[in-house]
Amino acid sequence: MDDSKFWPKGTTRCKPVHFGLWMLFCLALAGWALVSAFLCLYKGLNQTNMNDYFAFGVWIVVDLAIIALGAGAFFTGFMNYVLRREELKNIINAAVIIGFICYSGAIMMLGIDIGQPIRGWFGFWHANVHSMLTEVMFCITTYLIVLIVEFVPLILENRQINKVPDLHFFAHNLHTIMIVFAATGTFLSFFHQGSLGGMYGVLYARPFAARGGVLIWPWTFFLFILSAIAAGPSFTTSIVMITEIVTGKKLTTHKVKMLMAKVSGSLLLFYLVLKIADTLYWAFVQTPAMGLSPSVYYQAPYGTWLLIAELGIGGVLPCILLLSPQVRESYWILLLAMLLNCFGVTMNRFVMTIQSLAVPVLPFEKFYAYLPTWQEWGISAGVIAYGFIIFSLAYRYLPVFPQETKLNPTTD
Amino acid sequence: MNWDRRAFVKFAVGAVVGLNASPLVPKLMDDVAIWTQNWSWVPDPETGAVAFAKSINPATQTGVKARLVKARLSGQRVIRVEGDPEHPLSQGGVLAADAAAPQQSYYQAMRVDAPMVRKEGVRGRVAAEEAVQKVAAKLKALAQAGKASQVAIIADDPFSVTGEMLMRLAAAYGTPNLVFMPSAKQTLALAGGLMFGQGDIGFDLANATYTVSFGTPLLEGFGAPVAVRKAFAAWRKDPMHRATLVQVEPRSSVTASQADLWLACKPGTEGVLAYAMANLMIQAGKVDSAAANAAGFEQFKALLAGEYSLEKASQASGVPADKIKAVAEGFMKAPKAVAVCGPGNSGDPGRLFDFMAVLALNAVKGNLGKPGGLVLRQGVAWKALGGPLDLPGAPRLDGGGKRIMGSYSAYDLAAAALKGQPYPLEALIVVGCNPAFAGPQAKVMRQLIDNTPFVACVSEFMDETAELADVVLPKASFLECWGDCATPYGAAQSFYGVHQPLVSALPQTKSAGDWLLAVAKLLGGKAAEALPFAEAKEALAARAEGLGGLEDLAAKGYWMQEKPAYGFSFKTPSGRLELAPSALGKPAAPAAGVAPSKERPLLMAGIPSLRTGAGGAPMSPYQVKILDEITLAHKDQLVVEINPQTAHAMHLGEGDMVEIASAAGKINARLHLYHGAAPGMVFVPVGLGHTAFGMYLKNKGANFFEAVEVAADPGSGLPQWALTPVSIAKAGGVSHV
Amino acid sequence: MLPFVFEWQWDIGHGVFMGLFYLALTIVSLGVVAALAMTFYDLYSGKEVHEEGHGHEDPWADYSYAHDKADRGEYA
Amino acid sequence: MSSSASEMRFGMVIDVDKCTGCGACSVACMSENNVGVLPDETDKIRSITWLRVYQIDNGQPYPNTQIAFFPRPCQHCAGSQGHHTPCVSVCPATATDRDPKTGIVSQIPTRCIGCRYCVAACPYHARYFNWYDVPWPEGMDKPLSPFVAPRMRGVVEKCTFCFHRYQRAQNKAFTSGEAMGEMDYQTACTEACPSGAITFGDLNNPEHKVHELKKSPYAFRLLERLHTDTAVYYVSAREWVRRQADNYLSGEKLAKVQAGGGH
């Protein structure tokens, strides 16, 4: 089977049999997810280890994490189209695809996570506009539409599809007005990332999560935006780098990566300053006012190591690395720094979700721990498999990396 | 028109726009919204006219009203059992068991829905006639063979109309072996009989200002529990002038915690403390004249001064002397003080010595026949079902009649029958109780059932006993039939309650009385003559004649003595209070009770609870649902309490799975370290561990009565299982830390 | 979501929130409609398809960074 | 946004010193509101008990140990200090709301999408998600009340202060033309409690018993420091019980926190 006529012009791709094996692996993961999804939809959420104390579980953690990591899409788009950083054109396609994967994956997970999936649209129908979750639902849906609009021209640019005049022109015209979508997307995603953080900050009866803020927005609203735009570019770039390693090709110039790293690092620094200030105020002013001490929050297995992992290993360390020019020049340390940055934001989403719920508020309540079931892992793995599949197909058949042909001249 | 790509695009765009402009989308969304609510397996209870009817739950003696819905298709059904605000004992309150009663009545997997007969080992549903015929034929054959006395009957309540019918039936048929499940009413009647010559006594809790409860679960299953709670609520009504409650027992129970003072005594020393307090009062010169003039007062005084001094009592009970003194003084000074005795925490009928010591303390206080004290009850003026019958001459298996008073004992009956002394059993009839589970020593009762050639039972539920029986006759629940119950334990006023059929949940069920009548009719002869009623309702009506007739009674739901009868009289041989009863010749004194040994170093006691309930009455699904993880954990593990120090000394920890073994049997449970448990003891919830009753109850926890070792109370001779020496060892199994 | 939905009550919060929501939806759909319109215009005006696509020329094509050169073996 | 200035504010005063933990309130509530039962209910963090009775103890060694019970219905928070009811403000589908007329926090299970955000928002664990389909084996569906719809899997439910009883009382008042009396609207748990530990009524109405009872120097609410402004008051003369109702730093004195509505 030869699919080379679908490959982007002037590029080479691995043998179909290799690609097929890789797809099989991904499909196996997806199969696991399908079995899990079937069980959860057919038998109900008792298939998970969530309960009335851990109302949210690993799915929400993965959701929040991938949405934060997917923030690379809107922020790169924002820098590229709105701030006119032309060099980012070389990575924007990858960012859009990753964003699309993250957002659509998150929505699929949410579809299983809610107890009544066929009523999911009630959030629109009977919307409570005071709920951060409503804001999340609205923004995530509309932003996904934007992402689809951004993704469509790229699909249409497939070598064969692009030969159809209607589609060719449509793709071209969408590109022409991309700034409109990018700006709308930025607005939507900004609120969406924020309202995800706001979801926790507004839980004023949950001392671990609750935060003060401005107007209707708690501090977590802004911290989530910042941590997302700090980690998003890192994630996009590290995915590109991993793709480079796997395919053995240079896909973008290192300069682009360094720019992404610099943006990521600077935002991370900004975020960390605010986050640490927030944490100190929370630990030493807000918590005692509720009659608690931070030691109540950190009990086995959710000990202070979480704080060190999130803010130290996943915060300060990558921040220092990303901001040092020497590190940025090194391919591998740069990748490590970016992955640490992603780890940090994931830990933050984990802590905000799981630990918020683990900490008992009533003095006579117990401290519970939570371990996901294989079904929950299955769905989570499914989203990853979904990402692998979409990104692999996109890379194989779509002109994702404009610099690829020049960086990898073919002999033909 | 050419159907080219362009036309297709136009069509598609047009279709999308058109569909969105039409009301189709909102309509479909609305339909989906409705459809998401129609899940075929979620029941849709049919509505109808609502009505109320009064009733009484004989298991809890709560006066209730049933909320009935008369639906067009599904007919009349009880949807709720609520408290009857007009009922003097209940005043609108209920227990968990009452509120869950409809579930119990309707849930078919728990009930016996049709008569059953075991044929070649297999139990199958049969017609009512066949089942009754089977029982009657067996009894007839035994009577003809001169073995009538080898038939035994075990029943739940001697004071109900069914109890009276059974007494008549047994006498007419010719067996002396009718026994009832053991009860504290027996012990109180014995103690009252010995000291006052009167056994129908109660505690005027509602009017007391100072109450000392000696080892009885006052708030966890004493008397009619709702009525006791109403008195308790009255004590707590005014926070500034609340009545005082003192609890004497080894464990920090609900009563002990809600009490103003808890005397944590060593197990089995409650009576000692009552004597010690009486002694302190005598020493203080605060002795009521009736007590001072009592028969054997000097002897009593000397005994107390010698053996029950403050120091000795403090040492024996482990309660600090100042605490004993404080309670004695409070009791002495309070205008309306009462000392209370009753069923033990394990559901046992109590120790006679404790009861007599408590009655003596009340007598010394001088509260006999006074408001807030110990009162004589008027009695229920029901009419007997017929003239007296001659009692069969054969000796009773349970040895009743040999003891001080002719009190029955199901346990002794079983023990004697198993030994075949003086004779074994040929047939056993169990009515309305579940001895295979509730024993009190469950294994002995099961052995009796196994060893008896023919076993019949009249049972509401497919319980452990019914599962072993050869013939099972389905008994109607209290919501389905006529029936009655009489004065609860310890109540200050005599009481009589009636329940009536409100629904027919299971059409094949009948009241126990109706089944008895059917058997008696087939037996013919004296048995039929002794019960000349067409149906049990007639017997009830005959009984109720003395109380204003059944109709009025049913409408109101109860008859009750208007107010406690104040004033007291003694019917003893001496005509006085007898502190050294003539039947004993000396004041009551405790005999050595059960004690731990080297092999069995701990004492096991029950945890009384209105959630688990005690005895054979099963819990309904809702009751099982509200059990905490300190009672039932991880699907099926019974949780027992042990003091942390005791546990550490035995190298045991929280959540350990252990085997609790007595000389009589063993159970497995999970340990919960509880500071309120007395050191050296293990406390086990009573009422779990059924092997019958379907998915909500079956195999949940372990049965306390499997480990109970019954001993005869040295005073009364009644079965006694308040304390059982046990050993504890770590058992295998997952502890789910 | 729509004013006629059961028990719907408007307040300022709804106005702002729904306003922004519909605004975003409107912008996005107008954008798509505009792209469609331009496409029809392009098609009818007989514009030709350029295989190369558009706007993907790498403005930095001439600039080579050390790694890229190394990867391409330029230092070899 | 706080609506504690509602016309009426139905609430409870629960006397902890009277409660004996018998569970009658819980069962009466379940029977009134058609709460489902699963074959295994020992996993308490998945077991639906609108009115859960918590057992607490003073942690003292023998023989000074004491236990007490906190019956915990939904607290029907009003929210204060600029906050709305914790759960109401977060529900995306308006499946729960606080009625400004009665102060009752409602729950519409048929509108609930099962996102469980409200469960996470409630510090009292008063909200329960239907993790399972309730099996209603033969006969178990017979005693179900037609006045409260049984719930399906995947939705959240909670105590509604027997709101259907309020509606019934309202209808009665409308037909009879008389004002609704204190006793016309009582919750199932209040009626059932054999010790009379629960008193229910309009906290704002001086003619109702709760109005006076909540002023007791021994009255307190659960987690007042969070400013949830609950409608359920507890009363206990025992300090250790009152201390268990809220979080205190070690060494911190038990203080009466005045929350929100300033009742």
Side-chain angles (χ1 to χ4, degrees):
Chain A
M1 202 177 90
D2 180 24
D3 59 350
S4 59
K5 64 175 177 173
F6 294 99
W7 297 350
K9 199 169 173 249
T11 62
T12 55
R13 293 292 181 256
C14 68
K15 286 195 193 115
V17 59
H18 291 159
F19 187 71
L21 285 174
W22 165 241
M23 280 293 114
L24 271 183
F25 168 75
C26 294
L27 287 173
L29 274 185
W32 177 18
L34 282 179
V35 173
S36 307
F38 172 76
L39 284 173
C40 291
L41 293 173
Y42 180 69
K43 290 190 170 179
L45 291 177
N46 51 62
Q47 297 295 304
T48 72
N49 256 350
M50 287 189 282
N51 52 56
D52 290 329
Y53 285 51
F54 291 99
F56 300 150
V58 68
W59 291 344
I60 295 290
V61 176
V62 172
D63 250 356
L64 295 190
I66 59 178
I67 278 174
L69 298 170
F74 95 82
F75 198 66
T76 316
F78 171 70
M79 287 191 297
N80 182 20
Y81 295 109
V82 182
L83 298 184
R84 294 274 166 203
R85 292 303 295 259
E86 290 295 331
E87 60 270 42
L88 292 179
K89 197 172 272 180
N90 297 315
I91 204 164
I92 185 70
N93 290 339
V96 164
I97 295 169
I98 292 166
F100 170 79
I101 290 167
C102 290
Y103 276 76
S104 52
I107 287 184
M108 286 191 278
M109 274 183 113
L110 283 174
I112 295 161
D113 197 0
I114 60 174
Q116 287 284 340
I118 37 177
R119 289 186 200 160
W121 51 276
F122 279 21
F124 295 90
W125 204 242
H126 305 286
N128 169 18
V129 297
H130 305 291
S131 169
M132 284 289 166
L133 192 54
T134 311
E135 205 170 308
V136 170
M137 290 174 74
F138 276 66
C139 293
I140 200 174
T141 316
T142 22
Y143 184 52
L144 182 64
I145 295 172
V146 170
L147 277 170
I148 292 170
V149 173
E150 290 187 29
F151 192 14
V152 160
L154 192 63
I155 298 172
L156 298 184
E157 274 162 21
N158 172 283
R159 210 157 106 201
Q160 298 305 321
I161 299 178
N162 208 23
K163 286 178 182 158
V164 182
D166 313 22
L167 301 178
H168 169 86
F169 289 123
F170 185 52
H172 175 83
N173 291 326
L174 278 177
H175 259 297
T176 316
I177 53 166
M178 195 51 84
I179 184 171
V180 175
F181 300 120
T184 318
T186 303
F187 168 79
L188 290 170
S189 194
F190 184 84
F191 272 93
H192 168 48
Q193 297 288 354
S195 48
L196 277 176
M199 267 182 72
Y200 293 106
V202 297
L203 300 180
Y204 71 94
R206 286 283 189 174
F208 186 86
R211 294 291 190 283
V214 285
L215 297 176
I216 59 164
W217 296 293
W219 298 128
T220 48
F221 184 94
F222 306 100
L223 291 173
F224 264 52
I225 297 174
L226 275 176
S227 59
I229 58 178
S234 278
F235 185 70
T236 309
T237 316
S238 44
I239 292 292
V240 171
M241 290 170 90
I242 289 168
T243 314
E244 286 183 339
I245 294 162
V246 171
T247 59
K249 290 200 181 102
K250 216 63 234 169
L251 299 174
T252 63
T253 56
H254 199 73
K255 177 91 188 192
V256 173
K257 291 165 196 142
M258 290 197 352
L259 176 65
M260 293 288 271
K262 200 171 165 185
V263 167
S264 204
S266 317
L267 288 167
L268 185 58
L269 177 67
F270 186 40
Y271 164 69
L272 277 178
V273 170
L274 294 178
K275 172 73 184 174
I276 288 167
D278 171 72
T279 305
L280 291 175
Y281 180 83
W282 164 81
F284 296 111
V285 180
Q286 181 187 316
T287 296
M290 289 176 171
L292 293 159
S293 73
S295 62
V296 176
Y297 296 152
Y298 294 97
Q299 293 180 45
Y302 306 119
T304 35
W305 66 271
L306 282 168
L307 202 61
I308 296 163
E310 180 201 336
L311 292 180
I313 300 169
V316 177
L317 182 60
C319 182
I320 294 169
L321 292 175
L322 288 173
L323 287 181
S324 25
Q326 298 94 318
V327 168
R328 287 206 297 269
E329 304 230 345
S330 154
Y331 194 88
W332 293 100
I333 304 183
L334 178 65
L335 178 59
L336 175 74
M338 288 183 155
L339 290 177
L340 282 177
N341 187 2
C342 300
F343 166 76
V345 78
T346 308
M347 284 309 288
N348 173 261
R349 302 310 194 248
F350 171 84
V351 163
M352 290 307 287
T353 307
I354 299 298
Q355 204 169 355
S356 290
L357 301 177
V359 176
V361 188
L362 286 167
F364 44 86
E365 275 284 359
K366 275 192 283 194
F367 198 98
Y368 284 96
Y370 154 82
L371 264 183
T373 58
W374 66 263
Q375 290 92 331
E376 293 179 84
W377 287 124
I379 303 278
S380 313
V383 172
I384 293 166
Y386 165 74
F388 283 169
I389 294 171
I390 300 289
F391 198 76
S392 306
L393 286 173
Y395 170 72
R396 193 171 179 85
Y397 297 118
L398 305 179
V400 178
F401 298 103
Q403 290 173 309
E404 187 185 355
T405 45
K406 280 181 183 149
L407 292 173
N408 306 277
T410 43
T411 44
D412 57 18
Chain B
M1 184 178 126
N2 258 349
W3 191 247
D4 58 5
R5 192 163 62 219
R6 206 157 290 167
F8 175 76
V9 169
K10 277 182 189 163
F11 174 77
V13 170
V16 168
V17 172
L19 280 177
N20 277 293
S22 77
L24 196 66
V25 172
K27 172 73 181 115
L28 278 178
M29 287 175 97
D30 205 39
D31 283 354
V32 174
I34 292 164
W35 181 69
T36 61
Q37 291 153 36
N38 296 337
W39 291 33
S40 59
W41 58 91
V42 177
D44 182 16
E46 196 190 359
T47 191
V50 178
F52 290 93
K54 301 207 174 190
S55 184
I56 185 159
N57 184 352
T60 57
Q61 304 210 321
T62 310
V64 296
K65 54 179 188 173
R67 189 185 287 256
L68 299 150
V69 167
K70 196 165 192 170
R72 203 169 52 86
L73 297 173
S74 49
Q76 178 152 297
R77 62 186 212 273
V78 173
I79 60 161
R80 289 213 55 208
V81 165
E82 299 167 32
D84 177 5
E86 287 158 17
H87 193 283
L89 284 180
S90 312
Q91 298 167 45
V94 286
L95 298 178
D98 300 313
Q103 270 193 328
Q104 234 175 15
S105 297
Y106 285 108
Y107 177 39
Q108 297 203 2
M110 280 171 88
R111 296 286 302 272
V112 186
D113 58 357
M116 299 208 199
V117 169
R118 193 180 293 278
K119 287 174 188 158
E120 285 150 15
V122 183
R123 199 178 49 225
R125 288 179 173 78
V126 296
E129 295 73 28
E130 188 184 338
V132 172
Q133 175 64 39
K134 182 118 182 164
V135 177
K138 182 75 189 179
L139 293 181
K140 233 175 184 171
L142 286 172
Q144 277 159 7
K147 290 178 173 177
S149 58
Q150 281 168 271
V151 175
I153 305 170
I154 304 179
D156 54 346
D157 180 9
F159 301 100
S160 67
V161 69
T162 316
E164 193 179 351
M165 287 167 83
L166 275 170
M167 290 176 197
R168 298 187 65 77
L169 182 64
Y173 173 72
T175 176
N177 293 311
L178 167 65
V179 293
F180 296 91
M181 293 301 267
S183 133
K185 283 183 182 175
Q186 292 174 279
T187 317
L188 187 61
L190 277 176
L194 287 168
M195 295 173 67
F196 310 144
Q198 308 229 41
D200 200 4
I201 44 184
F203 307 93
D204 191 12
L205 296 176
N207 294 309
T209 58
Y210 198 102
T211 307
V212 190
S213 147
F214 287 89
T216 189
L218 205 59
L219 299 179
E220 297 134 285
F222 178 96
V226 175
V228 177
R229 268 163 176 64
K230 289 295 166 191
F232 170 68
W235 297 341
R236 293 280 178 269
K237 195 164 188 179
D238 182 356
M240 299 303 144
H241 304 94
R242 22 192 263 176
T244 308
L245 169 64
V246 180
Q247 176 72 358
V248 185
E249 68 164 297
R251 175 176 167 269
S252 179
S253 61
V254 172
T255 312
S257 291
Q258 288 293 22
D260 300 272
L261 203 61
W262 167 41
L263 300 186
C265 67
K266 288 182 186 163
T269 60
E270 289 89 349
V272 171
L273 285 171
Y275 262 7
M277 287 175 201
N279 181 45
L280 286 171
M281 290 176 74
I282 294 170
Q283 282 178 351
K286 297 270 187 183
V287 184
D288 181 65
S289 60
N293 296 325
F297 177 71
E298 289 308 319
Q299 212 182 339
F300 177 76
K301 187 178 165 185
L303 174 77
L304 263 56
E307 301 298 319
Y308 300 93
S309 64
L310 189 55
E311 297 71 37
K312 278 189 179 172
S314 170
Q315 190 150 25
S317 65
V319 181
D322 56 330
K323 273 196 171 179
I324 304 176
K325 218 171 159 184
V327 175
E329 272 167 14
F331 190 76
M332 207 165 6
K333 284 180 189 151
K336 294 172 187 173
V338 67
V340 181
C341 54
N345 279 320
S346 306
D348 54 286
R351 288 175 290 262
L352 183 64
F353 164 68
D354 290 356
F355 278 54
M356 291 179 73
V358 166
L359 295 191
L361 178 61
N362 282 316
V364 169
K365 165 71 187 171
N367 66 17
L368 303 188
K370 300 218 177 105
L374 207 64
V375 290
L376 288 176
R377 294 190 295 229
Q378 175 185 328
V380 184
W382 55 46
K383 221 180 108 197
L385 293 183
L389 296 165
D390 296 331
L391 289 175
R396 279 169 60 167
L397 273 171
D398 66 355
K402 280 190 208 152
R403 278 183 248 105
I404 323 164
M405 288 175 79
S407 212
Y408 49 82
S409 163
Y411 174 77
D412 289 309
L413 175 132
L418 282 170
K419 278 190 226 143
Q421 286 171 349
Y423 48 84
L425 281 187
E426 287 293 336
L428 176 66
I429 296 168
V430 181
V431 181
C433 58
N434 184 11
F437 174 83
Q441 197 170 311
K443 214 179 269 173
V444 171
M445 292 315 232
R446 269 204 310 277
Q447 272 169 9
L448 178 71
I449 294 170
D450 284 344
N451 290 6
T452 306
F454 179 82
V455 178
C457 86
V458 183
S459 177
E460 193 176 330
F461 305 105
M462 203 64 224
D463 56 23
E464 286 81 356
T465 306
E467 282 190 341
L468 296 171
D470 299 295
V471 178
V472 188
L473 301 173
K475 181 173 169 300
S477 81
F478 77 96
L479 295 168
E480 296 160 341
C481 68
W482 286 100
D484 63 352
C485 67
T487 322
Y489 177 86
Q493 289 137 286
S494 288
F495 170 84
Y496 185 70
V498 170
H499 59 81
Q500 53 184 314
L502 302 172
V503 286
S504 52
L506 297 172
Q508 298 221 52
T509 59
K510 285 185 198 175
S511 71
D514 279 324
W515 288 116
L516 295 181
L517 289 177
V519 172
K521 202 169 281 170
L522 287 182
L523 282 176
K526 273 197 201 165
E529 282 165 31
L531 296 172
F533 309 104
E535 52 175 348
K537 187 187 172 186
E538 274 180 26
L540 193 65
R543 215 181 195 210
E545 243 173 69
L547 298 161
L550 185 59
E551 252 175 57
D552 290 352
L553 211 50
K556 198 178 172 195
Y558 68 93
W559 167 89
M560 191 163 128
Q561 177 183 341
E562 224 168 273
K563 55 184 192 322
Y566 298 123
F568 214 87
S569 64
F570 302 103
K571 291 190 178 157
T572 50
S574 62
R576 292 181 285 162
L577 170 71
E578 294 194 351
L579 287 171
S582 36
L584 300 178
K586 58 180 171 61
V594 288
S597 62
K598 208 166 182 193
E599 307 85 70
R600 302 195 181 85
L602 299 180
L603 287 177
M604 177 185 80
I607 300 175
S609 164
L610 289 170
R611 296 199 189 188
T612 54
M619 277 179 277
S620 79
Y622 277 155
Q623 279 177 281
V624 180
K625 186 176 165 108
I626 62 164
L627 293 182
D628 252 317
E629 53 260 85
I630 51 172
T631 304
L632 186 69
H634 298 293
K635 290 196 174 92
D636 54 2
Q637 297 172 358
L638 184 74
V639 182
V640 299
E641 291 175 359
I642 192 166
N643 188 280
Q645 281 181 350
T646 309
H648 293 151
M650 300 179 76
H651 306 290
L652 296 168
E654 177 77 36
D656 279 354
M657 287 303 294
V658 293
E659 184 186 85
I660 302 169
S662 73
K666 54 196 174 190
I667 50 172
N668 283 336
R670 178 188 160 86
L671 279 190
H672 169 53
L673 306 193
Y674 173 51
H675 282 295
M681 292 186 75
V682 57
F683 294 91
V684 181
V686 182
L688 283 158
H690 280 285
T691 56
F693 289 113
M695 66 175 178
Y696 297 105
L697 198 49
K698 188 175 179 173
N699 296 331
K700 301 233 165 140
N703 182 5
F704 171 70
F705 296 108
E706 290 292 330
V708 155
E709 186 187 358
V710 171
D713 178 56
S716 64
L718 288 170
Q720 179 55 234
W721 65 91
L723 300 166
T724 300
V726 292
S727 64
I728 283 195
K730 248 187 209 172
V734 193
S735 65
H736 295 277
V737 174
Chain C
M1 181 155 149
L2 298 169
F4 53 78
V5 169
F6 173 62
E7 280 186 347
W8 192 260
Q9 285 170 344
W10 284 95
D11 65 22
I12 292 176
H14 286 92
V16 173
F17 189 91
M18 290 296 179
L20 289 175
F21 171 65
Y22 286 116
L23 180 69
L25 276 186
T26 312
I27 290 173
V28 172
S29 37
L30 280 180
V32 174
V33 168
L36 278 172
M38 283 153 77
T39 306
F40 279 107
Y41 176 80
D42 289 345
L43 285 173
Y44 284 104
S45 65
K47 217 173 170 183
E48 301 236 337
V49 175
H50 304 286
E51 270 258 9
E52 281 307 307
H54 32 258
H56 282 269
E57 307 79 22
D58 184 358
W60 295 8
D62 300 332
Y63 177 87
S64 294
Y65 192 67
H67 280 293
D68 310 322
K69 284 182 183 166
D71 290 347
R72 272 187 269 162
E74 285 178 21
Y75 292 144
Chain D
M1 221 152 85
S2 166
S3 25
S4 42
S6 47
E7 283 174 48
M8 292 183 277
R9 177 134 203 235
F10 285 102
M12 284 179 182
V13 179
I14 301 178
D15 192 333
V16 180
D17 293 349
K18 278 185 192 167
C19 175
T20 60
C22 71
C25 52
S26 273
V27 173
C29 163
M30 294 186 209
S31 134
E32 175 79 20
N33 293 295
N34 295 341
V35 175
V37 196
L38 304 172
D40 169 35
E41 292 274 8
T42 53
D43 186 2
K44 290 300 165 196
I45 51 182
R46 276 187 173 186
S47 173
I48 298 176
T49 327
W50 288 13
L51 176 57
R52 182 171 173 187
V53 182
Y54 282 93
Q55 181 174 328
I56 58 171
D57 69 58
N58 63 354
Q60 297 290 313
Y62 195 84
N64 298 315
T65 322
Q66 267 190 40
I67 55 168
F69 299 94
F70 275 132
R72 193 255 26 228
C74 168
Q75 306 283 305
H76 295 270
C77 309
S80 63
Q81 299 203 334
H83 290 299
H84 199 286
T85 308
C87 52
V88 168
S89 55
V90 302
C91 176
T94 329
T96 180
D97 205 357
R98 185 172 182 276
D99 178 3
K101 196 169 166 236
T102 57
I104 293 175
V105 177
S106 64
Q107 177 73 19
I108 312 172
T110 46
R111 193 187 279 177
C112 173
I113 63 172
C115 72
R116 304 182 299 285
Y117 190 15
C118 57
V119 178
C122 174
Y124 303 101
H125 297 296
R127 296 186 149 268
Y128 293 92
F129 183 71
N130 280 273
W131 298 97
Y132 299 89
D133 272 314
V134 178
W136 296 101
E138 194 161 12
M140 279 286 282
D141 56 338
K142 278 277 177 59
L144 288 178
S145 160
F147 309 113
V148 181
R151 276 73 56 189
M152 64 279 289
R153 182 184 92 198
V155 299
V156 171
E157 60 183 72
K158 70 159 193 89
C159 155
T160 60
F161 273 170
C162 292
F163 191 71
H164 57 285
R165 288 183 169 218
Y166 172 74
Q167 291 170 318
R168 192 170 65 208
Q170 246 188 338
N171 289 346
K172 192 185 140 199
F174 181 76
T175 20
S176 70
E178 286 166 37
M180 192 196 297
E182 183 179 7
M183 284 303 138
D184 288 338
Y185 170 37
Q186 290 290 311
T187 62
C189 53
T190 309
E191 285 180 356
C193 178
S195 324
I198 308 176
T199 315
F200 179 80
D202 179 3
L203 296 166
N204 290 349
N205 188 338
E207 284 167 22
H208 287 199
K209 287 194 285 289
V210 285
H211 185 263
E212 203 54 40
L213 287 172
K214 74 167 199 265
K215 291 183 190 158
S216 156
Y218 295 140
F220 58 95
R221 294 184 282 182
L222 293 179
L223 301 174
E224 288 207 54
R225 288 174 172 228
L226 300 181
H227 306 293
T228 43
D229 191 12
T230 65
V232 178
Y233 288 77
Y234 294 84
V235 177
S236 177
R238 292 175 280 183
E239 187 182 326
W240 74 265
V241 171
R242 298 202 297 275
R243 216 180 159 85
Q244 294 254 353
D246 215 331
N247 294 299
Y248 293 94
L249 295 171
S250 53
E252 195 181 356
K253 282 247 171 63
L254 184 132
K256 204 166 159 56
V257 183
Q258 275 301 326
H263 292 289

